[in-house]
Amino acid sequence: MNAEKKTSNSDLGVSAVLRLGLTLALLTAFLGIILVIWHRGADHVDYSTFIGEPDSLKQLGAIVTNALQWDPLAVAQLSILLMIATPAARVLACIIVFACQRDLLYVALASFVFIVLILSFFESRAG
Amino acid sequence: MTVYAITLVLFLGSLLAGFLGSLSGLGGGLVIVPLLVLGLGVDIHYAIGTSLIAVIATSTATSCAYVKEGYSNVRIGIFLETATTVGALCGVAIGSLLPKTSLSLIFAAFLFYTAYNAFTQNHTDLKGLPLDKMATRLKLNGDYPLNGGYQNYSAHNVPWGYFLMFIAGNLSGILGLGAGVLKVVAMDQVMKLPFKVSTTTSNFMIGVTAAASAGLYLGMGYIDPVLTVPVVIGVTFGSFVGARLLPKAKTQVLRRLFALLIAFIAIQMLIKVIA
């Protein structure tokens, strides 16, 4: 058992990416929830049958555009987008860290995971 | 139901979900789906979308703490994630060909067995095991904080662990449930990793796996901001509390908690089959 051990800088780098992503997502989420409650707090909602979200809450471009105009639901949905993007950013950070350590095997493995992530995201957009 | 009410209920429920999810490595989904479907009468599609985001939030919030403190093993996570993601894609592809009912039954039985094991067993002492050659070549060995110092560990049975991860991804693609369980079990029981390393590494992995499908579900309109945003906030804070507690928690207690939670998942699966 080693008595003392550092947390390596690389792990801290990965952790920093996570913190940044989470902070951005949370701040946007708070903003979104305040806007939603402010404008629609008393609205009655019914989720008992599935009708699916409107296109304005499904498409990346529309979400960002509407969020910039302070549309409450779009701001809220933007926070979800940021949340989804965070693990991908983390894997990307891992690739960079492994590259700095000249660990080619893990650069390859992490890149593979990253590519699958990106593909699955854009595949769904196309379909 | 008004937006006020739904926001408050979901926020409170998610605090619990994040807390349990971060400690067990199972993600925040296992409380969210029953709360939405049984508690609030929300359609299962919305519930799946919301729970997926809850899993990502748990994973991200807890990973912040666990990577820094040296519990989760990023290499093991990435290595096994190559199997899980491919497994998930294959699962989606072959999902329609397989009989879901019998799969769910088999899986539920497996979960009960695992719960029983986790509940009764005092884990084998890891220190006696020699280093595994394959794990060493793949750099899957590491150390984690224990009793104020650091304890080394080595991964074992790498091919079996890898195979089980493929199946884990497969099942999550087919059944949409249970990936976290198999991840923890594969690392803990098969690869003989310390329990806290298994749960925290699973926490890291489930976020990546969930993100892969979240894009898909967003595009299909499963993700509603009124439902998901309170959950994201609640789960994050619940996870922070869980992450604070983990270093102090006894492995034995965590193992019991894990056993109870997977028995609960197994019951959920059975209800799904019957319904």
Side-chain angles (χ1 to χ4, degrees), chain B residues 70-73 76 143-144 153 187 193-202:
Chain B
Y71 283 105
S72 61
N73 186 319
I76 294 181
D143 48 38
Y144 77 112
Y153 60 84
M187 285 187 272
L193 293 167
F195 193 63
K196 286 184 182 178
V197 174
S198 303
T199 56
T200 54
T201 304
S202 164

Side-chain angles (χ1 to χ4, degrees), chain A residues 1 45 47 90 103 106 125, chain B residues 67 75 138 150 204 215 224:
Chain A
M1 203 186 273
V45 280
Y47 291 102
R90 181 185 187 178
D103 187 343
Y106 275 87
R125 246 97 280 273
Chain B
V67 174
R75 278 194 168 79
L138 287 164
Y150 279 80
F204 162 44
D224 183 88

